[in-house]
Amino acid sequence: MSSSAKALDPAFQGVGQRPGTEIWRIENFQPVPLPKSDHGKFYMGDSYIVLQTTPGKGGAYLYDIHFWIGKDTSQDEAGTAAIKTVELDAVLGGRAVQHRELQGHESDKFLSYFKPCIIPLEGGVATGFKKAEEEAFEIRLYVCKGKRVVRLKQVPFARSSLNHDDVFILDTEKKIYQFNGANSNIQERGKALEVIQFLKEKYHEGTCDVAIVDDGKLDTESDSGEFWVLFGGFAPIGKKVANEDDIIPETTPAKLYSITDGEVKVVEGELSKGLLENNKCYLLDCGAEIFVWVGRVTQMEERKAASQAAEEFVASQNRPKATRLTRLIQGYETRSFKSNFDSWPAGSAAPGAEEGRGKVAALLKQQGVGLKGMTKSAPVNEEVPPLLEGGGKMEVWCINGSSKTPLPKEDVGKFYSGDCYIILYTYHSGDRKEDYLLCCWFGNDSLEEDQKMAARLANTMSNSLKGRPVQGRIFQGKEPPQFVALFQPIVILKGGLSTGYKKSIAEKGLSDETYTADSVALFRISGTSVHNDKAVQVDAVATSLNSAECFLLQSGSSIFTWHGNQSTFEQQQLAAKIAEFLKPGVALKHAKEGTESSAFWFALGGKQSYTSKKFSPETVRDPHLFTFSFNKGDISNSESWLIPWKFQVEEVYNFSQDDLLTEDILILDTHAEVFVWVGQSVDPKEKQNVFDIGQKYIEMAVSLDGLSPSVPLYKVTEGNEPSFFTTYFLWDPIKATVQGNSFQKKAALLFGLGHHVVEERSNGNQGGPTQRASALAALSSAFNPSSGKSSHLDRSNGSNQGGTTQRASALAALSSAFNSSPGSKTPGLRPSGTGQGSQRRAAVAALSSVLTAEKKQTPETSPSRSPPSETNLPAEVKSETLFEAEGSEGVAEVKEMEETASVSESNGGEDSERKQDTEHGESDDGNGQSTFSYDQLKAHSDNPVKGIDFKRREAYLSDEEFQTIFGVTKEAFYKMPKWKQDMQKKKFDLF
């Protein structure tokens, strides 16, 4: 740390040392660190500084500093927060992105640190803090806005505050109500449920009831009646009245200004990166967001003056409060800043870009996923990505004109660079039915018309499989690990066999270099394991050799294996495997570097010098998730909707599985691959353009982020996510199977667990409801013996007595009971002995009989066949379409769980208890000892421990040693996405 940095505020000493959030509150004009227990609490009378540290490319840390200004804070305190933010940036090396956050208008990035929301509290340092426990419970009414991050605002508790366009939460002492305006967004309704769950746990000890009230639907004896009584009785509500806080600033064409001595002047000329001089500061006005760009060699005082000038610029123009103000340093520009330029040429690396304290991780092996039957192990410390299940069915076709020709089994794995191929791999993953990977592979020398034909035929194949396959577009040289691993081996050959390729080279007068079994051919062997083993035909000359690799030389009937002095044993093994693949039964001639025969050099046209440089893998980066927007009105109008200025992306920060909303299409960019995820409820017209959307994104990322134009691109549909996609999330398979819109899904997941929904509707069938009630009662008793409460999500008292109960809620409860995930806080799921096991079995048996009866009744009219109508439902949570009611699958699930319950009972519940303890980080070796030393638990220990779950070595560390090694608590560690956990475990040899 520089001497100037040391002279700055002592509260900032040692900051930014590890990923995470650090917060300071301004007290008496000084930053005071806030304990982690108070993170997320923001008082309206105060100002705060929030530092978020994240891993970046090349191993460096990236920093975001946010200064939050409460609506009642003083101007002096707000100014102090802004100045201290600049000082904090200096401590961090002057490369942080700075954000101004006004209460009620916080950025998505800021709110993503405090999910599901922040609830600003009254008071502050100067005026004193109000403590909830010191005052009587006060009924509060909130308006809840946001699809992925929530902006929660308290409004007056009065009927006049309600409207038809928003979602409201009424928090009373005994019950929390959600009021859905008739025109409110379905995704905002779903997020509001998360807020209700948060309020319930934080302020009601998890015991209050929850009710859903729909705008325009009144039942005096139901929850809606209770709701309106609180407002003095039912009466029509008015239209939404816009106020200053509701004004959303418009995005305008970017305009650049220079900032000199506090004066802001327009910069003339076309907007380009070249206009930005490294010794000056600039302001880029984009309407909704204003950026202050700071040159790398500017001084701290200049930077403070530029920030102040920007504040004055915003104030002078009377911009809406929601206008964002962001300050960034040269070399650390954000995507949203760079996207205002037509292109952003890559320059020299910013100082410190490669000076990281940690290492960024990417593709990591997902638990329990891999190629079955493969015993070959990767070298120590190698990153092993998630691979598809082995033992599936492989089919490959070569494109020939307007048709596809199937490859014989012996040629599967041979790809000619002049041709295009379609690959269909059918496999089984977990409990699902057949899964599919459907890829097009394009050779570097293939024809554009062949590529288009391959894509068209693959799309037809996908449609015939009801759109379930993961579709991929893969270019030669960019084959991803899960693709390579399917072919043992994979060989890329020169030339092509298709009629289109042959015709093309003939028209161009080029010689045909297509590989044949009799030609002279040289192959470079690369890779160290099943996921990166590959052989590529290169020019048959000595300059193609490399001391760091192995090569195969085919000359007439002979095949030489050439081992470079720096080559690995794995490469040497692969060379022999490739030789057998190309010429079965051939006798190999071995040539170690330096011992080559004259025949070897003769085949290569003579001995020449060659390189010994090792291949450097591409820098791996953290994944990013994006939403996008375009002009939907033009979607069917040629390709006009893909005009560049109409295509915009917005990042989803700190993303999770919950951000994959069923009504949306999202883009996941891992830098190594790009996925376009398609929700089940997406408009069919939009689904047709998925690859166009992905290509448009790639073109944008190529110019802004240096993404390879030939990066693999996938289409992934909801419910069919493969392991190499889910590895980037803390994936819960139950969430992926719940049916319905965003609100219905969230309602089932949050309130279907350990609760039963009272449904008083009938269809003339009295036996069904009785059986269902018995099953649900048994489930409730088994998993929540102390709970007698209903979630009251729906209590309509109509005359209809028999609609189907949401059986999948029960299945979710069962699955959670037997397969609880780390960090789960669901109460009542731990068995207490054999009696509890008996209850489980009774619950499962009751549910099984229900499912069997349902299947026998009207399977052809399963409610899952048609989407629910929003207008016909008093509350979406009681929709019969929440889950797919395919009886045979459900019964199979139940039978499997019944067997599990039986085993659990016979073991007195020990297995379930031990599993739950382990998944919460409490491990037992079976002999009473629960913790071991780090030296014993390391994968390469000299004194290894025995009898533990080796996939979870870290769980056996003591709490103190765990925090010393990982820098976080166990609880925080298990909240990380799976791939980040694995990154840390590999770093410390605990994988």
Side-chain angles (χ1 to χ4, degrees), residues 372-450:
K372 293 179 179 176
M374 296 294 182
T375 57
K376 180 179 175 184
S377 61
V380 176
N381 296 329
E382 182 176 356
E383 307 279 347
V384 181
L387 307 176
L388 299 179
E389 294 290 334
K393 179 183 179 183
M394 173 68 74
E395 299 171 90
V396 183
W397 296 266
C398 181
I399 301 302
N400 204 0
S402 60
S403 61
K404 62 183 192 296
T405 304
L407 259 59
K409 186 176 181 180
E410 60 270 18
D411 286 341
V412 170
K414 297 177 183 176
F415 294 88
Y416 287 85
S417 61
D419 292 338
C420 295
Y421 298 82
I422 296 176
I423 301 94
L424 175 62
Y425 182 64
T426 307
Y427 64 102
H428 291 271
S429 176
D431 296 330
R432 291 198 299 212
K433 294 181 179 178
E434 290 180 328
D435 285 320
Y436 308 94
L437 177 64
L438 178 61
C439 290
C440 294
W441 183 91
F442 301 146
N444 288 342
D445 301 321
S446 62
L447 306 180
E448 185 177 350
E449 51 263 39
D450 283 353

Side-chain angles (χ1 to χ4, degrees), residues 630-631 634 638-647 689 692-693 696 699:
F630 55 81
N631 189 338
D634 294 339
S638 178
E639 292 185 354
S640 61
W641 63 279
L642 287 175
I643 295 173
W645 64 268
K646 289 188 178 181
F647 184 87
N689 295 289
D692 291 332
I693 291 166
K696 199 65 198 170
E699 291 170 5

Side-chain angles (χ1 to χ4, degrees), residues 416-417 441-445 474-479 492 536 710:
Y416 287 85
S417 61
W441 183 91
F442 301 146
N444 288 342
D445 301 321
I474 297 171
F475 285 96
Q476 177 183 335
K478 289 289 184 178
E479 295 84 3
I492 312 299
V536 180
S710 56

Side-chain angles (χ1 to χ4, degrees), residues 186 189 214 741 743-744 870 873 875-879 882:
I186 203 71
R189 297 183 189 184
D214 281 328
N741 60 38
F743 177 62
Q744 294 166 341
E870 288 297 323
L873 295 176
E876 286 88 339
V877 292
K878 71 177 186 178
S879 168
L882 279 176

Side-chain angles (χ1 to χ4, degrees), residues 11 318 349 461 666:
N318 293 318
M461 293 171 66
L666 292 102

Side-chain angles (χ1 to χ4, degrees), residues 58-69:
Y61 281 148
L62 299 178
Y63 302 106
D64 285 276
I65 307 175
H66 307 256
F67 58 100
W68 187 88
I69 309 299

Side-chain angles (χ1 to χ4, degrees), residues 35 42 129 170 338 417 510 526 542 603 650 676 706 755 784 936:
F42 293 90
F129 303 105
L170 182 64
K338 292 188 288 186
S417 61
L510 301 174
S526 61
E650 189 170 330
V676 182
H755 293 269
N784 290 285
Q936 284 183 287

